[in-house]
Amino acid sequence: ASVQWFFAHEYTRKLKLPFHWGQSMGVRWYDRFVVLTEDMAQTIARLNPQADCRVLPNGVADDFYDIEPAIGDFILYLGRIEIHAKGLDLLLQALAAIPAAQRPRLKLAGSGPEQPQLEAWLAQTGMRDSVDLLGHVDAVQRAALLRNCRFMVMPSRIETFGMTIAEAHAAGKGAIVWDTAPMNEVAAPNSLMPQAFDVAALSHAITTWHQLPDEALLQIGDQARQWARRYNWDAVAAAQEAFYLEACERR
């Protein structure tokens, strides 16, 4: 079985059908699992203590590792425009708490149905001058943003993995994430990880890194890139193949 996340309780709540029963029983029908994070492996172990569970993360394309990092004058959010799930409300509150003279420029790259709500909030709070809403970006634009940002901020409340964290690290950039699974597992150890959903702590983390010299941010990014080598597709594919062969040999 390959498991990314468990959403059965959410569907039970929405559709009033017992999807969570199927989820609980289904986990017991398999004896080998592929999961993306150690956090999910622990969840599987609680439901099926006899399971052989292998953590095999998502892979990052080689193109990201080829990016030559520079340090620009903006910080970056890269992902879907989903205000609650992606924590954009928390990120914008943290940004608004920074005095205008010290506030970094934020570029939000991504699209989603909630973009009009985000634009309305920016207009109402007077934050429009501090935030660029870029909408959907293609591969070339994404590479340019990762190359030139100071660092990335990933304020999600909910993630199955946190792909853009791994991509930012592979591109040689540090990331600020909440200290909660799975983001704190995917992020490099030298990432800043404020207490989950603490807006003041996030604001402080952003200010701290924004004020660092460019050389320090490049060093943080270089260390993050070394960490991200574990997300290279060749390494991930080799580990998955080894697990499959091991399962065949046991048979």
Side-chain angles (χ1 to χ4, degrees):
S2 178
V3 180
Q4 290 199 358
W5 202 250
F6 285 149
F7 289 111
H9 284 87
E10 181 179 339
Y11 281 102
T12 296
R13 185 168 56 253
K14 286 181 178 178
L15 302 179
K16 312 303 181 187
L17 293 170
F19 289 96
H20 61 291
W21 293 356
Q23 177 175 284
S24 296
M25 290 186 293
V27 171
R28 295 178 174 86
W29 290 341
Y30 293 86
D31 55 8
R32 296 183 184 87
F33 291 83
V34 172
V35 296
L36 296 176
T37 64
E38 186 61 41
D39 179 66
M40 179 53 70
Q42 293 173 9
T43 299
I44 296 290
R46 288 193 294 269
L47 297 170
N48 184 350
Q50 305 306 315
D52 183 357
C53 199
R54 196 66 52 90
V55 178
L56 299 171
N58 283 329
V60 175
D62 289 344
D63 293 351
F64 289 93
Y65 299 95
D66 294 334
I67 291 173
E68 188 65 36
I71 301 296
D73 60 355
F74 65 93
I75 65 175
L76 177 66
Y77 165 83
L78 183 62
R80 295 189 304 278
I81 302 300
E82 296 177 1
I83 294 173
H84 180 80
K86 295 296 186 178
L88 296 180
D89 53 336
L90 305 175
L91 173 56
L92 293 174
Q93 290 170 37
L95 199 66
I98 300 172
Q102 288 84 45
R103 184 184 302 150
R105 187 158 202 83
L106 169 66
K107 294 194 176 186
L108 289 169
S111 59
E114 298 180 5
Q115 186 161 332
Q117 297 170 245
L118 202 58
E119 291 174 343
W121 187 91
L122 292 172
Q124 292 166 5
T125 58
M127 286 288 291
R128 194 65 184 85
D129 291 341
S130 299
V131 180
D132 295 328
L133 293 177
L134 304 181
H136 174 75
V137 295
D138 60 24
V140 174
Q141 294 168 318
R142 179 180 60 189
L145 289 167
L146 287 169
R147 178 183 299 111
N148 295 307
C149 70
R150 296 185 69 76
F151 52 87
M152 198 179 82
V153 183
M154 179 69 159
S156 295
R157 288 181 171 92
I158 303 167
E159 285 290 341
T160 59
F161 181 72
M163 195 66 211
T164 56
I165 301 171
E167 291 173 345
H169 286 345
K173 291 301 167 75
I176 297 177
V177 304
W178 298 120
D179 188 10
T180 187
M183 290 79 78
N184 59 358
E185 181 181 336
V186 176
N190 67 342
S191 303
L192 287 187
M193 302 183 190
Q195 181 177 341
F197 320 133
D198 185 331
V199 169
L202 177 59
S203 184
H204 178 72
I206 291 171
T207 301
T208 298
W209 263 12
H210 183 56
Q211 293 176 345
L212 287 177
D214 293 358
E215 294 77 12
L217 290 174
L218 286 171
Q219 184 175 7
I220 289 170
D222 182 64
Q223 293 169 353
R225 174 172 273 176
Q226 297 308 312
W227 168 265
R229 296 292 178 188
R230 68 194 58 217
Y231 304 127
N232 170 268
W233 264 123
D234 288 340
V236 173
Q240 185 144 347
E241 180 187 41
F243 190 36
Y244 287 167
L245 292 175
E246 181 182 320
C248 292
E249 289 167 3
R250 289 185 187 178
R251 283 291 182 188

